[in-house]
Amino acid sequence: MEYVTLKNGVRMPMEGFGVFQVEDAAQCEQAVLDAIASGYRLIDTAAAYFNEEAVGTAIRTSGIPRDELFITTKLWVQDTSYEGARKAFAVSMEKLGLDYLDLYLIHQPFNDYYGAWRAMEELYKAGKIRAIGVSNFYPDRLVDLCLNAKIPPMVNQVELHPFFAQEKAIETMKAFGVVPQAWGPLAEGKHGIFTNEKLAAVAKKYEKTVAQVVLRWNVQRGVVIIPKSVRRERMEENIDIWDFSLTDAEMAEVSRLDMGRSEIVDHRTAETVKWLSGWHIHD
């Protein structure tokens, strides 16, 4: 495993394991245990995934020392305010059963995220969180927060894959010392990604799978990845990307698949804002 050093000196694995849409507690717990056994040390969850308890159980059951794991969770829109963030953080920590968190992210760029950020800065200064960041922040909102917060975000988790490469957004993140992290690094299986002829040709050359080539492409761009699977063999395949490198020409070939837009979710539409703001995860 390779690591990236955040602007505050914290080391974060370049590849982690995500549990989005794994709501069944038993399945989630087993998936996290399998991921840890496969070598993953970064586990990414969120309050809105409804599986923090299962992740916490797996962490305790795994037998891996806490300081060898890097645990991320996220603050949902409903709780994105100063008081809301403080309460939601306490709830997440109770569900996870942890004394501290490695990374806490504002999940969506909506509601009072400045108020929430002030609460997160306080929790960070108090040693409750080792690093703080955001998720789904497009360059304009990210730069605004970087310029006006006392402690700028250290990570921005956004959609990043060959069909939505977001090269300029990554340039902006790096200019402000923000580490890009990819959700959906395999494009959620869309666009025929696993049967794409160009990707398959590169995979054949290295005796790798298309998924491995796509994941390798992102990490070579300096992007942290968090692929998800509930199948042990897929987890092992996804983490087996550290023994080869793509050439500059191959990197460019993959990048040319970029469509310049997301076909999963567009956070700039009124419909998306209404949908996510209206999604309540608790009473």
Side-chain angles (χ1 to χ4, degrees), residues 103-174:
L103 178 63
Y104 198 36
L105 304 178
I106 294 179
H107 205 154
Q108 307 287 350
F110 308 129
N111 204 350
D112 179 19
Y113 59 82
Y114 264 96
W117 191 256
R118 287 193 293 274
M120 290 165 61
E121 289 176 328
E122 292 175 1
L123 291 165
Y124 170 76
K125 291 178 181 178
K128 297 293 186 181
I129 311 170
R130 297 178 67 219
I132 52 179
V134 295
S135 178
N136 297 307
F137 274 54
Y138 283 102
D140 54 343
R141 297 205 179 197
L142 178 67
V143 171
D144 177 51
L145 188 58
C146 285
L147 291 175
N148 294 294
K150 290 181 179 178
I151 302 174
M154 300 157 194
V155 174
N156 186 18
Q157 185 183 118
V158 297
E159 180 186 352
L160 294 168
H161 52 74
F163 302 103
F164 193 37
Q166 298 211 68
E167 295 284 1
K168 290 185 178 180
I170 290 175
E171 289 178 10
T172 299
M173 292 181 217
K174 292 182 177 180

Side-chain angles (χ1 to χ4, degrees), residues 10-179:
V10 169
R11 293 174 75 243
M12 180 170 69
M14 285 291 293
E15 182 170 9
F17 181 73
V19 294
F20 177 52
Q21 294 179 329
V22 188
E23 293 185 20
D24 180 81
Q27 184 183 46
C28 182
E29 181 181 342
Q30 187 60 54
V32 173
L33 284 171
D34 287 344
I36 291 174
S38 299
Y40 293 86
R41 292 297 179 265
L42 188 165
I43 308 298
D44 179 278
T45 184
Y49 297 172
F50 302 106
N51 54 23
E52 289 173 314
E53 296 101 325
V55 169
T57 301
I59 291 169
R60 292 188 294 276
T61 306
S62 71
I64 301 297
R66 172 67 183 93
D67 61 3
E68 293 182 19
L69 297 172
F70 192 100
I71 310 302
T72 302
T73 194
K74 309 179 192 76
L75 174 72
W76 186 242
V77 181
Q78 182 183 4
D79 298 313
T80 304
S81 64
Y82 179 82
E83 290 298 336
R86 294 191 68 88
K87 292 177 182 178
F89 176 76
V91 170
S92 286
M93 294 300 284
E94 182 178 356
K95 289 181 176 180
L96 288 164
L98 300 178
D99 295 324
Y100 70 91
L101 190 66
D102 296 283
L103 178 63
Y104 198 36
L105 304 178
I106 294 179
H107 205 154
Q108 307 287 350
F110 308 129
N111 204 350
D112 179 19
Y113 59 82
Y114 264 96
W117 191 256
R118 287 193 293 274
M120 290 165 61
E121 289 176 328
E122 292 175 1
L123 291 165
Y124 170 76
K125 291 178 181 178
K128 297 293 186 181
I129 311 170
R130 297 178 67 219
I132 52 179
V134 295
S135 178
N136 297 307
F137 274 54
Y138 283 102
D140 54 343
R141 297 205 179 197
L142 178 67
V143 171
D144 177 51
L145 188 58
C146 285
L147 291 175
N148 294 294
K150 290 181 179 178
I151 302 174
M154 300 157 194
V155 174
N156 186 18
Q157 185 183 118
V158 297
E159 180 186 352
L160 294 168
H161 52 74
F163 302 103
F164 193 37
Q166 298 211 68
E167 295 284 1
K168 290 185 178 180
I170 290 175
E171 289 178 10
T172 299
M173 292 181 217
K174 292 182 177 180
F176 283 87
V178 179
V179 172

